[in-house]
Amino acid sequence: MGKNKLQKFDDMNGYPHVFQFPFGTLKESGFDMKGKWGKDFFKNDNPIVLELGCGKGEYAVGLAKMYPNKNFIGVDIKGARMWTGAKESFENGMKNVAFLRTNIELIDNFFDKGEISEIWITFPDPQMKKVTKRLTSTRFMQLYLEILNSDGLVHLKCDSNFLFTYTTEMVKTNNFPVIFKTEDLYHSDINDDMLLSIRTYYEQQWIERGINIKYIKFQPQQRDQFIEPDVEIELDSYRSFNRSKRSGNAMGK
């Protein structure tokens, strides 16, 4: 691990709003604040919103600035990236934002039933080879429903036509209500600062390359059986500048 990464981890160890619980730490010591985020950390009963795969935490921090009456938690396993948002929010004395470093697959160990009101998934890896790794797969929907309240919402904002198409089909197949959907966010008729004013590192990259930004907001619901969509989807034909290749794609350029 590089010196710069080590320094960032040292910094975050001193941030009171950063909780670092990779699998080994969770198994060893557990997490005793499950179900108590509002009472024990935020000191209020405002809605709690998660940004999963938060990267640098642009949405967690940006939304926390826009909505002081909501609490936001960025979740990611990559601590060196998370440091950016953690540092900014700490230096600005923000009281309605926190960060949790852990695997998303473990999320139900940290939040109780109904503790979360919304989940944001912003520009994730589309995981074109393995459906169970997609953050909008039925596997993850069942996991999210363990922590979302009865009116809980999921937002997906992405560049990937593959992931957007898959998610749209997954939502349709399982009859989840759709609140809003667009294949070209910045040329749609929506007027929402929450969607238009915050741009992540990856999002800006895609916009500069002329790639449309897709967005869907839907309400996952409990089902007796969750069904994966049976549909052929064309793979994305490009990759980001700093990834060797997009998962499932050997022809990126």
Side-chain angles (χ1 to χ4, degrees):
M1 185 180 293
K3 183 178 180 181
N4 191 38
K5 284 189 176 182
L6 290 174
Q7 180 61 54
K8 289 177 178 179
F9 280 116
D10 285 344
D11 284 351
M12 288 202 302
N13 283 332
Y15 293 162
H17 67 318
V18 176
F19 301 86
Q20 303 194 64
F21 277 82
F23 177 74
T25 304
L26 178 65
K27 185 177 180 180
E28 180 180 337
S29 58
F31 188 76
D32 60 6
M33 206 162 63
K34 178 178 178 178
K36 304 174 185 176
W37 283 89
K39 175 178 176 289
D40 289 355
F41 179 75
F42 292 113
K43 311 297 184 184
N44 60 54
D45 58 0
N46 293 337
I48 298 175
V49 181
L50 301 185
E51 182 191 7
L52 300 183
C54 69
K56 297 181 179 183
E58 294 104 326
Y59 255 83
V61 174
L63 290 175
K65 291 177 180 177
M66 294 172 65
Y67 298 95
N69 293 324
K70 291 184 178 182
N71 302 313
F72 297 87
I73 303 174
V75 182
D76 207 315
I77 193 61
K78 299 291 182 66
R81 293 180 187 173
M82 184 184 290
W83 171 85
T84 302
K87 182 175 186 290
E88 179 183 351
S89 53
F90 178 72
E91 291 181 344
N92 283 285
M94 298 176 68
K95 301 300 183 184
N96 66 326
V97 63
F99 288 90
L100 173 63
R101 188 172 76 86
T102 195
N103 297 91
I104 294 172
E105 291 89 343
L106 303 175
I107 201 72
D108 58 336
N109 290 279
F110 298 93
F111 302 99
D112 211 349
K113 183 72 174 178
E115 193 168 11
I116 303 303
S117 64
E118 298 179 59
I119 290 174
W120 279 83
I121 305 169
T122 54
F123 300 90
D125 189 317
Q127 297 291 348
M128 291 184 280
K129 281 187 174 180
K130 198 162 186 180
V131 64
T132 57
K133 289 189 175 183
R134 292 174 204 156
L135 293 183
T136 56
S137 68
T138 57
R139 173 199 177 201
F140 278 98
M141 289 304 115
Q142 293 174 75
L143 189 60
Y144 302 156
L145 285 165
E146 290 296 316
I147 61 175
L148 281 168
N149 63 34
S150 58
D151 297 320
L153 299 173
V154 172
H155 306 255
L156 171 69
K157 191 178 182 187
C158 69
D159 61 285
S160 168
N161 185 66
F162 177 90
L163 183 62
F164 184 76
T165 302
Y166 164 79
T167 304
T168 299
E169 292 296 325
M170 184 280 299
V171 167
K172 179 181 177 181
T173 300
N174 291 279
N175 295 310
F176 295 155
V178 175
I179 289 81
F180 185 81
K181 182 182 74 170
T182 177
E183 296 184 17
D184 190 356
L185 178 62
Y186 292 101
H187 294 95
S188 70
D189 58 1
I190 192 170
N191 184 19
D192 188 335
D193 285 345
M194 177 168 39
L195 289 171
L196 303 177
S197 66
I198 303 172
R199 295 185 178 182
T200 70
Y201 168 80
Y202 281 113
E203 180 173 6
Q204 190 59 44
Q205 185 182 118
W206 306 133
I207 291 172
E208 290 172 358
R209 295 169 71 177
I211 296 171
N212 290 346
I213 304 304
K214 292 87 173 166
Y215 170 76
I216 183 171
K217 175 167 65 171
F218 62 95
Q219 184 179 28
Q221 297 177 339
Q222 290 289 355
R223 297 288 182 258
D224 292 335
Q225 182 179 5
F226 291 83
I227 304 171
E228 279 294 326
D230 183 14
V231 59
E232 292 284 336
I233 306 174
E234 183 179 356
L235 301 182
D236 295 334
S237 60
Y238 62 93
R239 60 183 169 88
S240 70
F241 292 128
N242 62 348
R243 287 178 183 162
S244 58
K245 64 180 181 179
R246 302 207 73 161
S247 60
N249 175 27
M251 298 175 62
K253 57 183 180 180

